[in-house]
Structure formats: structure tokens, C-alpha cells
Amino acid sequence: MSKRFFLFLPILVIGHLSTFAQLSQQSRDSIAKLSQADHRLMMEKLGLESLRPGPSGNPAAPNAANSDESKATPYTNLPDPLVFDNGSIVKTATDWEKRREELKEHFDREIYGRIPENLPNVTWEIVEEKDSLFGEVKARFKKLNGYVDNSSYPEIQVNIELMMATPLEARTAVPLIMQFSWVWPAGMNRPKPEGPTWQEQMLKEGWGFAMLIPTSFQADNGAGLRSGIIGLVNKGEPRKLDDWGTLRAWGWGASRALDYLETDPLVDAKKVGIEGLSRYGKAALVAMVDEPRFAIAMIASSGAGGTKIFRRIYGEQVENLASSGEYHWFTPNFIKYAGTLTPMDLPVDAHEMLALCAPRPVFISSGDPEVEGHWIDAVGMFKTSVAASQAYEFLGKKGISTESYPGTNVGLLEGDLVFRQHDGGHTEGRNWRYFIDFAKRYFK
């Protein structure tokens, strides 16, 4: 038997984790306090005195989130992505482009926030380059820093951390999948991969991979909104009510990483995909919409705020998203939908965000609710995919042709917008090989 080797990627500081579970209690308390203060400020700007509390993710709690499908659908219909706000119907490709702009304006103003104009330039530098092994596959590994121009406000420094690898034997440009990722700190138990890692699978296919560290350039908490790229653009001041949130800022970083990949002769920049899990799945959806250069996406277990119907009462709710622990992902305007307004008042819903990815291929991934839990709402993500399919079909692509929820390990994989629920938990691991097979249709 051949010996297997693994390259353990560089360890980043604890502050780069997607959660702050490994920080000291004092640090966590400080972050929570600052986040709550900024959250209250946004509520004051919106004229809100209180918010409806969100349900608990603990199934045993008195206020546990609903997991009864019979109680999940208070709405009778969803906004139609192919109908303008004035009621007229999208009939032509030109109409669709106008409707796209109308939909994007709603998402910009009410949910994810506006991307600022005149964003700073990013200069990329290779800080490490070496030959490495990923499993049994030889690769050329690079670690890069993207230095963000802070001449407009030198008090805040921002760097984008990116790691990538391409097959060592590659002599021509190869497809590449970029992941919103994190690196585990020293001493923390890392989840063990089931079989080859996704990085090894990419390289075995003859493709490359990239790991973008979102929290290197925008922290995953409200306390960090006056630093990072959001703080730099705002010169350390609080956000305006329609300013971008962290999800959109992370998407901006993915676009800047793609700028670098376009300069790498071993990367086929026309065949670069984006992938993310959980909150990073939300970011992958936003990046796919904002960046037309991404050719394909896998959006894994993104749940509420991602590829799950906002109007559903199942698992995580808008009230959770608008709380001081998660509001930073969104524009401040979004908070009001847990206050004076409800999700039913939203001018758009998640299926229309997914529709904005069309006609590019998208793979929606989830885990088994009995393993992953009901918080993510796999059925809600499936319903989103079904509702977005009409936009794909309007553009000559194939969506999901059934409204029957497929259940576990039954992939609906024949179209350009596809769905598969694997039998694992909160991971995309068991869907990677299915995503690769899906992507191979387009990366020929």
C-alpha cells in the first residue's frame, strides 16, 4: 500500500475563525458588548425600540424553533421573479435584464446592503510558494496576501489571506474551485475527513483549489464593523442604514481573489467556481450574484439568509438573523423585519436571489435533517430551488422539475440548478464528489 501524506495548511490566528468559541471569556464578552452597542445604534437609526426574539436552536428549549412542516408555510404564494413590481410580466431577455436590476435594488436596500463606490485597490503578493503533497497528489502550493490600499484612512489596515494549489504536473491552465474557508488553530480538535479531502479531490481531477479566509478582511461580528474593509471604507464610522453587511464584504474579497487568479497562467479564469458552507454558503450565494465571472457554485447548508425561504416558519428565522449576533451579515435596514415589519413584508425572497445566479450552474447542498438538525431547514432550501427554477427555464436552462422533496441521498442532478441532500451532518463533505461530477459537465 502506498503511503499517504497530508500537508497541514498554515495555522492562522484564532481571530480568523468563523466563530469566537476559542477566545477567552473576557474577549468574547467584549466582542458581544461592542456588537450589542452597534446593534442598538442601528435600531435607534431605524426608530425601533424593540425586536421580536428569535426561536432557540435547542430542540428541548421552551421556545424551540419549529420543526413541524405542517406549521411552516404561513404564506400562500411567493414573489414571482418574472413579474415586475408594477405587475407586468418578463417576456424578453431585455425585460429580464431590467427585472434583474429591480430585484438587485431590493436586495441591496433591504437585505445585503449596497456595495460602496470607489472601493480601494488590492495588490497581491506571493508570501510562500512550494511543492507539497495533498494526500497522494503532488501540487504547487501558494500562500498569498492581498494588501488593500488604505491611503484614504491609514488608521485601518486590511489584508486578504488566500491559499491555493494547482497540480504539479499541470502544463496548461486548469479549472479551480474557491472556497470560503477557515483554518483551525493549534490545539483545536479538527474534524477528520471521510476519505480524501476536497482539496485532494480537486487535484486528482486535474483542477486547482483556493481557500479564501473571509475573516482576514472582515470580522464575523458586529464589533468588527468599524474595522476591516467595511470600516476602512467608512473611515471607522458606523454604517448607514443601507450599507453593505459582512456577507457582501466577503463576496467582494472573493472577487479580488479572482482578480489575482486571472493573472495566474496555471488557472483557467473562465472556469472558476465558488463554494461555501453555512454562513459561508450565504456568502457564496452573494458572491455568485455579485461576481459574474464565477462560472459555477456549490452553496452548502446556507439556511436562513442564504438559500432558504425567508417567509417560512421553520428552523432559524429572520428574528435570529436580525439579532445582535447575526445582524452584521446584512444591511442595517434588514433589522426592521424583526421589528415593525415581518418577513411577509420583504419585497423579495431567497428564491429571487438564487434566480439572479441564472443561467450559471448552481448546486444546492444540505445534510440530513435528522443528522444536521432542523435549524438549517433543508426543505426550505429545496423549495427555494424549485421556485428559482422558472428563471432558469426562462433563460433556456433546466431547473428542478418536481415539487416533491427528494429526501436523503436522492439527488436531483440533471439540470443546471440542482439539489442533493446527503446523509451526513453540517458539512458539504459527502456532496463533493457529486458536485465534481456536476461541474465536469461545464469544465470540459
Side-chain angles (χ1 to χ4, degrees):
M1 180 182 294
S2 62
K3 187 178 292 184
R4 294 176 66 82
F5 297 89
F6 293 91
L7 170 70
F8 288 100
L9 294 170
I11 300 301
L12 302 181
V13 299
I14 289 174
H16 290 176
L17 282 176
S18 62
T19 67
F20 54 49
Q22 295 301 303
L23 294 176
S24 68
Q25 186 62 51
Q26 182 178 3
S27 296
R28 283 185 283 172
D29 289 345
S30 177
I31 289 172
K33 185 176 180 179
L34 290 170
S35 297
Q36 290 162 4
D38 184 77
H39 186 253
R40 285 195 299 272
L41 176 61
M42 296 302 108
M43 287 180 59
E44 289 173 8
K45 287 188 173 187
L46 288 164
L48 299 173
E49 295 184 359
S50 64
L51 299 177
R52 298 184 303 278
S56 171
N58 178 2
N63 64 332
N66 176 53
S67 59
D68 181 346
E69 190 61 37
S70 68
K71 302 176 181 178
T73 310
Y75 56 90
T76 56
N77 53 52
L78 292 171
D80 192 328
L82 298 180
V83 175
F84 286 96
D85 290 348
N86 64 9
S88 60
I89 298 172
V90 173
K91 296 180 179 180
T92 67
T94 300
D95 286 347
W96 172 245
E97 289 306 311
K98 292 178 181 177
R99 176 58 172 157
R100 277 180 58 89
E101 292 306 309
E102 190 173 67
L103 289 171
K104 288 177 72 174
E105 168 61 20
H106 289 312
F107 283 108
D108 287 358
R109 186 183 66 247
E110 302 297 324
I111 300 179
Y112 298 110
R114 301 187 189 281
I115 299 174
E117 297 180 359
N118 303 317
L119 280 158
N121 294 324
V122 177
T123 302
W124 286 97
E125 178 185 354
I126 299 172
V127 296
E128 182 181 7
E129 185 170 10
K130 61 184 179 182
D131 295 346
S132 301
L133 280 170
F134 290 81
E136 298 175 341
V137 187
K138 297 177 181 179
R140 189 64 173 170
F141 172 80
K142 295 178 185 176
K143 182 178 180 181
L144 303 107
N145 266 340
Y147 298 98
V148 181
D149 179 8
N150 68 338
S151 57
S152 65
Y153 194 70
E155 289 85 347
I156 295 177
Q157 295 184 351
V158 183
N159 296 325
I160 303 173
E161 295 180 357
L162 177 70
M163 291 169 282
M164 61 172 291
T166 50
L168 192 61
E169 305 301 323
R171 295 293 178 266
T172 59
V174 301
L176 180 143
I177 302 299
M178 183 192 305
Q179 181 190 69
F180 285 110
S181 192
W182 55 85
V183 180
W184 303 94
M188 185 174 181
N189 291 328
R190 309 173 194 181
K192 295 181 180 179
E194 300 174 348
T197 64
W198 77 275
Q199 296 98 329
E200 185 180 355
Q201 292 180 64
M202 292 294 112
L203 294 168
K204 280 184 174 179
E205 197 61 46
W207 300 352
F209 71 82
M211 298 172 65
L212 177 68
I213 312 300
T215 48
S216 65
F217 55 93
Q218 188 58 55
D220 188 13
N221 52 64
L225 288 169
R226 301 194 199 182
S227 58
I229 183 60
I230 294 176
L232 174 60
V233 172
N234 287 340
K235 295 181 170 58
E237 294 296 318
R239 291 187 296 169
K240 298 184 292 296
L241 290 180
D242 62 350
D243 272 2
W244 59 343
T246 301
L247 295 177
R248 196 140 242 169
W250 288 344
W252 167 83
S255 293
R256 303 292 70 77
L258 185 52
D259 292 343
Y260 170 78
L261 294 175
E262 287 187 324
T263 71
D264 191 318
L266 290 180
V267 175
D268 185 345
K270 303 283 187 191
K271 297 178 180 178
V272 173
I274 187 71
E275 188 273 339
L277 170 72
S278 195
R279 67 197 65 193
Y280 290 167
K282 307 180 207 298
L285 173 63
V286 171
M288 188 67 169
V289 170
D290 289 347
E291 181 49 82
R293 293 177 295 170
F294 283 123
I296 194 168
M298 178 161 75
I299 301 169
S301 296
S302 62
T307 53
K308 168 195 166 173
I309 298 296
F310 283 108
R311 286 163 168 77
R312 271 175 64 84
I313 301 177
Y314 192 108
E316 187 173 21
Q317 297 293 288
V318 164
E319 288 81 2
N320 301 100
L321 300 177
S323 72
S324 63
E326 298 181 8
Y327 79 105
H328 59 278
W329 293 339
F330 307 96
T331 187
N333 269 332
F334 183 69
I335 298 172
K336 64 178 180 267
Y337 293 97
T340 53
L341 302 176
T342 77
M344 299 295 289
D345 295 307
L346 281 165
V348 285
D349 214 312
H351 65 295
E352 292 172 299
M353 189 69 173
L354 186 53
L356 291 176
C357 298
R360 291 168 295 161
V362 176
F363 186 115
I364 304 299
S365 168
S366 80
D368 186 321
E370 298 305 316
V371 183
E372 184 174 32
H374 295 272
W375 187 250
I376 297 298
D377 189 7
V379 174
M381 290 188 289
F382 169 71
K383 288 182 178 292
T384 299
S385 306
V386 172
S389 291
Q390 61 177 315
Y392 274 80
E393 290 159 6
F394 175 80
L395 295 172
K397 299 297 182 178
K398 185 177 180 181
I400 292 173
S401 57
T402 178
E403 294 186 6
S404 298
Y405 177 57
T408 301
N409 291 337
V410 180
L412 303 174
L413 304 176
E414 295 182 356
D416 300 285
L417 173 60
V418 303
F419 176 90
R420 186 177 188 274
Q421 176 181 295
H422 60 76
D423 56 10
H426 196 53
T427 173
E428 69 275 72
R430 297 186 184 185
N431 266 344
W432 270 111
R433 65 186 179 93
Y434 295 94
F435 174 64
I436 291 170
D437 288 343
F438 175 62
K440 285 165 69 173
R441 296 187 219 158
Y442 307 94
F443 290 176
K444 296 178 181 178

